[in-house]
Amino acid sequence: MKRKIKYIIFILMVSLPIYGQFNPQNDEITNRFFPDPILDIHTPSFDKKGFTNYEDMMGYLNKLVVAHPTEISLSFIGESQKKKKIPMVVLHRDNGQEKIKVWFQGGLHGDEPAGTETMLFLLDKILNDPSYSYLLDKIMLTVVPMANIDGYEKQDRYAANGLDLNRDQVKLMAPESNYLKKAFSDYGAEVAVDFHEYRPFRKEFSLLGTHGICSIYDAMFMFSGNLNLPQNLRDYTKNVFVGNAKKTLESNDLRFRDYITTDKQNNEMYFKQCTTEARSSTTSYALTNCISSLIEIRGVNLQKTSFKRRINTTFLIATSFLKTAYDDATNIKEVLKISNNTKPENIVVVANKPLEIQTISAIDLKDNTETSLEINVKNALKCTPELERKRPFGYLILAEQKILAEKLNVLGLTVEELAADKKVKVEAYTVTSSYVNPEEDEGYKAQKVETSVSTIEKSFPKGTYIVYLNQKNAKMATEVLEPESENGFIKFEVLKTILNNELPIYRYLTNEKL
């Protein structure tokens, strides 16, 4: 009975709005595990009771621009749904050297304030503290400090239309997603980090341990296990960039691990580790031939509890990534060159994530002590191919599917058109099975299809779209255009299918341009 009551309390707890007064963490846990460091921070949130709002941020950024006109530029990449301009800040020192392009982003989820606050703190430190300003000698840093302005203004996870912007990196249904992705694609980042916070008290955690648990990790690192990313890029991201950041946290007595989150299958709870999915930023960025990571800091629903600690943890990771980019600039260029030139014979359309047992640390809520637990984990970093296909030279898309071409362009791909009618030998997909989830999620009802592939000769009219795979973001094209992909246009209903019909997407295998 007590366990059931605790479960009900957790459900009520996580359903409260983030700006409400309830904080699930008691002072004993805070003082024992998460004390604030002695740190001098002058960002807007530390001059008021609440968090930094849009007006605060813009005033802070404009002061930096006035004080450092030669090293900082401020522009706007679009508007939020409530018509607030989305700022993008570029730090650049013109010294004639080739720079490593780094992209940092905060506030994509509006109830995760440490990301935005740290981005403002970071800008100040790089511009005003010689201990960090040297980084601009080899780095061009672009920062979007408040990616989801409307959500941030009310400390709510979602954009104004109710969509999660970190589940919208492929379907691009929210205006902000299109502006952010277009800006990212145009920039051509070589290193990218998306800064988030995670919820340490989850309703599922009430069922673990003797009286429930909460997470103990100051930070968790998400990076991609997608098998279409070359092994050298995956290894370099994990071992060098993430590896160095972990060493930095360890030297500062902060707890960390690779990212895990709970999920359910057949009413059984398990954990997912890292990701392969292009619908979120980690893999989406990586598929553009970029060293990519998403950082989760322990913080959602904690109000301002341990806020300096959360900012300091985020700052240490951000500066570690920048220092690695600075110190390893030559190797970065070589790693990305090898990755871009790696063209495997097959692409992986569907991958299997193995289930394994892992041990995690946690805080036992019975007596607020550290404990260890064995958990079942689906590990995206150890996935294996389930469905593979020969890598095509390109894809042909019928002209009536203009929406696909437009989204591909936003995703950073060059889309050409046939200059004249042409008969072409291609592989065609025919839908052999189709299931549409009756429940809507994030603005779509998930489609799951199976197809047969056959070789045909087909006449394509002038204006047919062509996406060749001899371009930098080619891995993104295969991810979104293969019908069975877990993060493709078909799954997200950008393209709806009909059973036994031929799809308007064709695989072109001949190694020459049309």
Side-chain angles (χ1 to χ4, degrees), residues 247-261:
K247 291 175 185 175
T248 297
L249 295 187
E250 186 174 29
S251 67
N252 284 272
D253 296 321
L254 295 164
R255 298 177 180 87
F256 57 87
R257 66 155 289 136
D258 292 344
Y259 176 78
I260 52 171
T261 189

Side-chain angles (χ1 to χ4, degrees), residues 59-79:
Y60 188 87
L61 294 177
N62 283 322
K63 286 180 181 178
L64 290 178
V65 171
V66 170
H68 303 273
T70 63
E71 292 184 321
I72 181 172
S73 63
L74 173 64
S75 60
F76 299 93
I77 60 175
E79 290 185 339

Side-chain angles (χ1 to χ4, degrees), residues 207-404:
L207 305 175
L208 299 175
T210 55
H211 288 71
I213 65 165
C214 70
S215 178
I216 200 170
Y217 299 108
D218 289 286
M220 294 194 287
F221 293 85
M222 181 186 284
F223 42 98
S224 185
N226 189 294
L227 294 175
N228 291 314
L229 296 171
Q231 188 72 50
N232 80 309
L233 180 58
R234 284 182 277 148
D235 289 345
Y236 189 69
T237 302
K238 175 183 177 180
N239 297 331
V240 179
F241 274 85
V242 173
N244 286 347
K246 287 179 176 179
K247 291 175 185 175
T248 297
L249 295 187
E250 186 174 29
S251 67
N252 284 272
D253 296 321
L254 295 164
R255 298 177 180 87
F256 57 87
R257 66 155 289 136
D258 292 344
Y259 176 78
I260 52 171
T261 189
T262 54
D263 205 348
K264 275 190 174 182
Q265 186 173 350
N266 300 324
N267 292 321
E268 292 291 327
M269 187 179 75
Y270 65 93
F271 286 75
K272 298 186 296 184
Q273 179 170 319
C274 289
T275 185
T276 61
E277 299 182 3
R279 68 173 184 163
S280 63
S281 63
T282 319
T283 297
S284 179
Y285 290 168
L287 289 168
T288 68
N289 204 48
C290 177
I291 297 158
S292 168
S293 186
L294 184 149
I295 307 302
E296 294 274 9
I297 303 299
R298 186 184 189 278
V300 171
N301 214 29
L302 297 185
Q303 312 302 324
K304 279 194 166 179
T305 297
S306 306
F307 198 42
K308 278 192 175 182
R309 183 185 185 94
R310 288 147 59 187
I311 291 172
N312 185 50
T313 305
T314 312
F315 178 78
L316 288 170
I317 295 170
T319 52
S320 173
F321 267 72
L322 291 174
K323 288 174 182 177
T324 299
Y326 181 95
D327 292 338
D328 219 32
T330 302
N331 284 336
I332 290 169
K333 297 287 186 182
E334 185 62 23
V335 166
L336 295 180
K337 180 180 178 181
I338 292 170
S339 172
N340 190 52
N341 292 335
T342 300
K343 296 178 174 59
E345 183 178 349
N346 291 333
I347 55 173
V348 178
V349 180
V350 179
N352 177 56
K353 303 176 185 69
L355 191 65
E356 61 185 26
I357 296 175
Q358 294 186 15
T359 300
I360 62 168
S361 297
I363 298 171
D364 191 327
L365 296 180
K366 177 184 178 182
D367 53 9
N368 299 331
T369 58
E370 184 171 350
T371 187
S372 295
L373 296 169
E374 284 193 344
I375 59 171
N376 292 317
V377 179
K378 281 194 174 181
N379 191 349
L381 301 178
K382 295 182 179 179
C383 59
T384 55
E386 186 174 313
L387 172 62
E388 294 182 274
R389 286 199 177 103
K390 183 177 174 63
R391 186 179 190 270
F393 186 70
Y395 292 91
L396 291 164
I397 302 171
L398 298 186
E400 60 264 26
Q401 296 298 327
K402 184 178 180 181
I403 187 172
L404 303 190

Side-chain angles (χ1 to χ4, degrees), residues 16-67:
L16 287 172
I18 192 70
Y19 48 81
Q21 297 302 307
F22 185 75
N23 181 340
Q25 183 162 295
N26 62 41
D27 290 342
E28 182 182 357
I29 290 177
T30 301
N31 294 333
R32 182 179 296 182
F33 294 101
F34 308 107
D36 274 329
I38 298 172
L39 189 65
D40 199 15
I41 305 177
H42 299 289
T43 54
S45 187
F46 289 90
D47 293 328
K48 59 191 294 187
K49 185 177 180 180
F51 293 112
T52 296
N53 60 31
Y54 180 75
E55 185 178 348
D56 296 333
M57 175 185 66
M58 291 311 305
Y60 188 87
L61 294 177
N62 283 322
K63 286 180 181 178
L64 290 178
V65 171
V66 170

Side-chain angles (χ1 to χ4, degrees), residues 64-65 67-73 89-94 126-128 133 136-137 141:
L64 290 178
V65 171
H68 303 273
T70 63
E71 292 184 321
I72 181 172
S73 63
V89 178
V90 179
L91 300 189
H92 176 62
R93 179 175 297 142
D94 189 3
I126 292 176
L127 290 169
N128 294 309
S133 60
L136 295 183
D137 288 341
L141 175 62

